[in-house]
Amino acid sequence: MTRPCPAPPADTATYSYLLGLYLGDGCISPHPHGGQYLRIACADAWPGLIERCRTAILTVRPGASVSLVQKQGCVAVSSYDRHWPCLFPQHGLGPKHERTIALEAWQQVIVGRHPWELVRGLVHSDGCRTMNWTTRLVAGERRRYEYPRYFFTNKSADITRLFTDALDVVGVAWKRANAKNISVARRASVALMDAYVGPKY
Ligand SMILES: [Zn+2]
């Protein structure tokens, strides 16, 4: 098994979370003067997630530089470190959905140990918790009922598969809403997602 250089991160739970963020909304690109930039786009609407992303980067690579770059509607959490491509070997040219995304053996071990962290990272980047509603006729009266559900949207079939594989491991029932969308709607599964992931903040 190919080992990353440097050694796998000591905090494997945080790595699994950061992997989810990277697969959802991250990219790695070379810096003009050498070294590599990791960028993770975090929507302005969720300041808690921006801070959490920053903390996760510093936990996985203590001593790496991290800066927040304001863009239209989002903040790019950017970190400069020459080892980002070793830690996220899924980097490559072009959009992720146009190439194969496969985890290295050492990443599979980490994700197998921390499936919820991967699910959380993926939902925090490409997922959401929404309220759906429906109406039902009760004693001749039409009533409105609301129920929460989770959605995950990603154009990459490989990344979607990593998400649903992890859901299978933790026992969350899911459905394919369409080619790019996974939905979690069953009450017990939504309760599990609320306990381990929760809404964005
Ligand atoms: Zn390296």
Side-chain angles (χ1 to χ4, degrees):
M1 124 177 169
T2 327
R3 289 178 43 118
C5 105
D11 187 334
T12 48
T14 302
Y15 176 82
S16 193
Y17 174 69
L18 191 59
L19 177 63
L21 292 183
Y22 165 72
L23 291 175
D25 278 332
C27 68
I28 293 173
S29 49
H31 186 268
H33 301 129
Q36 301 280 335
Y37 265 119
L38 167 70
R39 284 192 195 83
I40 294 175
C42 300
D44 282 344
W46 317 114
L49 295 190
I50 294 170
E51 184 50 33
R52 192 160 179 174
C53 172
R54 204 181 76 88
T55 307
I57 286 174
L58 289 172
T59 304
V60 168
R61 279 302 283 157
S65 74
V66 184
S67 54
L68 306 182
V69 182
Q70 184 66 50
K71 306 259 166 117
Q72 180 90 39
C74 74
V75 166
V77 183
S78 307
S79 174
Y80 177 69
D81 187 294
R82 69 194 171 95
H83 292 294
W84 285 124
C86 327
L87 288 163
F88 297 113
Q90 286 69 36
H91 74 98
L93 289 174
K96 294 193 196 84
H97 67 274
E98 288 173 4
R99 49 196 167 88
T100 301
I101 300 291
L103 298 186
E104 301 269 341
W106 63 269
Q107 291 179 298
Q108 289 174 23
V109 170
I110 290 177
V111 165
R113 207 176 290 157
H114 304 287
W116 270 121
E117 309 295 329
L118 182 76
V119 167
R120 191 182 300 133
L122 287 169
V123 170
H124 281 174
S125 53
D126 278 346
C128 62
R129 183 187 190 275
T130 60
M131 292 304 283
N132 276 43
W133 60 271
T134 184
T135 60
R136 256 181 242 147
L137 221 45
V138 179
E141 217 181 305
R142 188 149 290 281
R143 290 200 187 164
R144 182 185 161 111
Y145 289 90
E146 289 196 326
Y147 58 98
R149 64 163 60 185
Y150 283 81
F151 277 107
F152 176 76
T153 308
N154 193 292
K155 280 195 254 183
S156 161
D158 291 339
I159 293 173
T160 301
R161 179 66 187 274
L162 288 171
F163 181 65
T164 56
D165 280 354
L167 291 183
D168 287 343
V169 169
V170 296
V172 166
W174 54 272
K175 267 192 185 160
R176 191 173 289 281
N178 60 47
K180 297 182 300 186
N181 272 285
I182 299 297
S183 141
V184 172
R186 236 187 254 172
R187 189 180 293 192
S189 293
V190 169
L192 268 178
M193 294 287 277
D194 280 346
Y196 288 94
V197 178
K200 298 188 184 190
Y201 58 97

